[in-house]
């Protein structure tokens, strides 16, 4: 994959810039900006620095991961076609690239929070909501499919806004929301643990609208809150949830039966 990307770039008349992956993320961002880079290829083990690079490198338009190859995904993962609603969003992005389909929201409480437990609560919610583990993949003909990864192991970062103005914190989170996700073979959501002024604490949640709607966002936030309370206060509260995969199976069955 590295050789193909390298020779494909240089033989196509563009310039390839090799980077030392062992330098800190902020130095990589500086190098990308200085080199006027527009496409960044990376290995899966460096996936955790991509959100930081997206924020620091506005001229980089596309991030391509070597973590999964198309044949492997299509052969080993069960892939589903896009739903009718997802196709509307897909073609909106395709023919109107300036559109951003991200939804940003927050869940905050005015009390001290154990952020270690909160992180565990988020991971448990990831297990409960398979729609939070959706990835998209495109085949050789340009057809887009979706698949579900079995678990999420991404780090959940922490941001302390408590020493600043609340308006500045919300403006920064709005800026986060305006940054689109990498479309293929990458997570379609982001969770950040937040400490706000005036004693409010909780999470910021950003999702791609192709994977979740407002009801799903409410359900995920509710699950995080219930998981946290169950671990913190030894309660046993679990609101019912409906998995996403059976919905995809039913839609796939209807689609196949119509042909």
């Amino acid at each position: 994959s590295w050789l193909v990307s390298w020779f494909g770039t240089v033989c196509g008349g563009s310039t390839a810039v090799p980077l030392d992956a062992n330098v800190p993320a902020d130095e990589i961002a500086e190098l990308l900006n200085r080199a006027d880079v527009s496409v960044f290829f990376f290995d899966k083990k460096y996936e955790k620095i991509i959100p930081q690079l997206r924020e620091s490198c506005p001229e980089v338009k596309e991030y391509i991961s070597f973590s999964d190859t198309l044949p492997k995904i299509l052969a080993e993962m069960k892939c589903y076609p896009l739903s009718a609603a997802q196709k509307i969003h897909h073609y909106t992005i395709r023919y109107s690239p300036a559109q951003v389909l991200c939804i940003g929201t927050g869940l905050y409480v005015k009390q001290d929070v154990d952020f270690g437990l909160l992180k565990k609560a988020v991971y448990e919610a990831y297990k409960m909501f398979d729609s939070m583990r959706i990835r998209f993949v495109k085949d050789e003909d340009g057809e887009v499919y979706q698949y579900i990864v079995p678990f999420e192991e991404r780090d959940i970062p922490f941001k302390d806004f408590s020493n600043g103005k609340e308006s500045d914190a919300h403006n920064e989170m709005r800026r986060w929301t305006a940054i689109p996700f990498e479309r293929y073979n990458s997570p379609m959501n982001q969770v950040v643990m937040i400490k706000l002024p005036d004693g409010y604490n909780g999470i910021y949640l950003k999702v791609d609208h192709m994977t979740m709607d407002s009801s799903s966002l409410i359900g995920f936030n509710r699950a995080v809150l219930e998981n946290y309370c169950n671990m913190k206060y030894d309660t046993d509260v679990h609101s019912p949830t409906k998995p996403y995969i059976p919905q995809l199976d039913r839609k796939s069955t209807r689609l196949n039966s119509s042909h």
Side-chain angles (χ1 to χ4, degrees), residues 12-245:
S14 300
T15 301
V17 182
L19 299 174
D20 183 355
N22 293 319
V23 302
D26 55 346
E27 292 187 26
I28 292 178
E30 181 181 357
L31 292 170
L32 293 177
N33 289 326
R34 288 171 54 190
D36 195 24
V37 170
S38 59
V39 180
F40 182 70
F41 296 88
F42 63 96
D43 189 83
K44 182 179 181 179
K45 62 183 177 180
Y46 300 107
E47 191 175 72
K48 63 183 180 181
I49 71 170
I50 299 304
Q52 179 179 344
L53 296 182
R54 287 185 183 279
E55 292 186 29
S56 303
C57 307
E59 297 304 315
V60 179
K61 304 304 182 185
E62 188 167 1
Y63 292 81
I64 300 176
S65 171
F66 291 130
S67 60
D68 294 298
T69 61
L70 177 63
K72 178 181 177 182
I73 292 173
L74 294 178
E76 298 183 1
M77 303 294 291
K78 184 171 183 179
C79 295
Y80 303 86
L82 300 183
S83 68
Q86 287 175 320
K87 286 182 178 180
I88 293 175
H89 293 311
H90 171 66
Y91 287 116
T92 298
I93 296 174
R94 181 173 178 179
Y95 295 109
S96 183
Q99 294 290 329
V100 177
L101 297 181
C102 297
I103 305 173
T105 186
L107 171 65
Y108 311 107
V109 293
K110 192 172 185 179
Q111 66 180 61
D112 292 335
V113 167
D114 183 332
F115 285 101
L117 277 184
L118 182 58
K119 180 180 287 191
K120 292 180 180 179
V122 173
Y123 282 134
E124 286 300 313
Y126 270 129
K127 294 178 183 178
M128 298 165 60
F129 282 75
D130 47 5
S131 59
M132 289 289 284
R133 293 179 271 115
I134 291 177
R135 304 286 192 272
F136 295 109
V137 61
K138 185 191 296 184
D139 67 13
E140 291 88 346
D141 297 323
E143 191 71 22
V144 178
Y145 297 87
Q146 57 191 315
Y147 61 98
I148 310 293
V149 297
F151 57 87
E152 286 288 4
E153 58 182 4
R154 291 174 287 144
D155 185 40
I156 300 171
F158 169 79
K159 183 67 175 180
D160 188 350
F161 291 111
S162 60
N163 293 322
K165 297 180 180 178
E166 183 177 347
S167 59
D168 291 339
H170 288 298
N171 286 336
E172 177 66 6
M173 287 185 276
R174 290 189 188 99
R175 189 181 69 81
W176 295 349
T177 305
I179 301 173
F181 290 105
E182 167 60 37
R183 300 308 304 169
Y184 302 111
N185 306 318
S186 294
M188 304 307 292
N189 57 73
Q190 179 186 18
V191 177
V192 182
M193 296 182 294
I194 299 293
K195 193 175 183 65
L196 289 171
D198 300 323
Y200 285 93
N201 302 285
I203 62 170
Y204 159 85
L205 172 61
K206 168 185 168 183
V207 302
D208 189 282
H209 202 6
M210 277 183 66
T211 65
M212 298 187 80
D213 58 14
S214 58
S215 297
S216 303
L217 287 171
I218 293 171
F220 183 82
N221 279 336
R222 181 182 60 197
V224 171
L225 185 58
E226 289 176 349
N227 292 341
Y228 179 85
C229 291
N230 289 339
M231 290 184 283
K232 179 73 172 178
Y233 305 110
D234 196 26
T235 55
D236 188 20
V237 179
H238 298 282
S239 297
T241 61
K242 291 185 178 181
Y244 181 61
I245 291 178

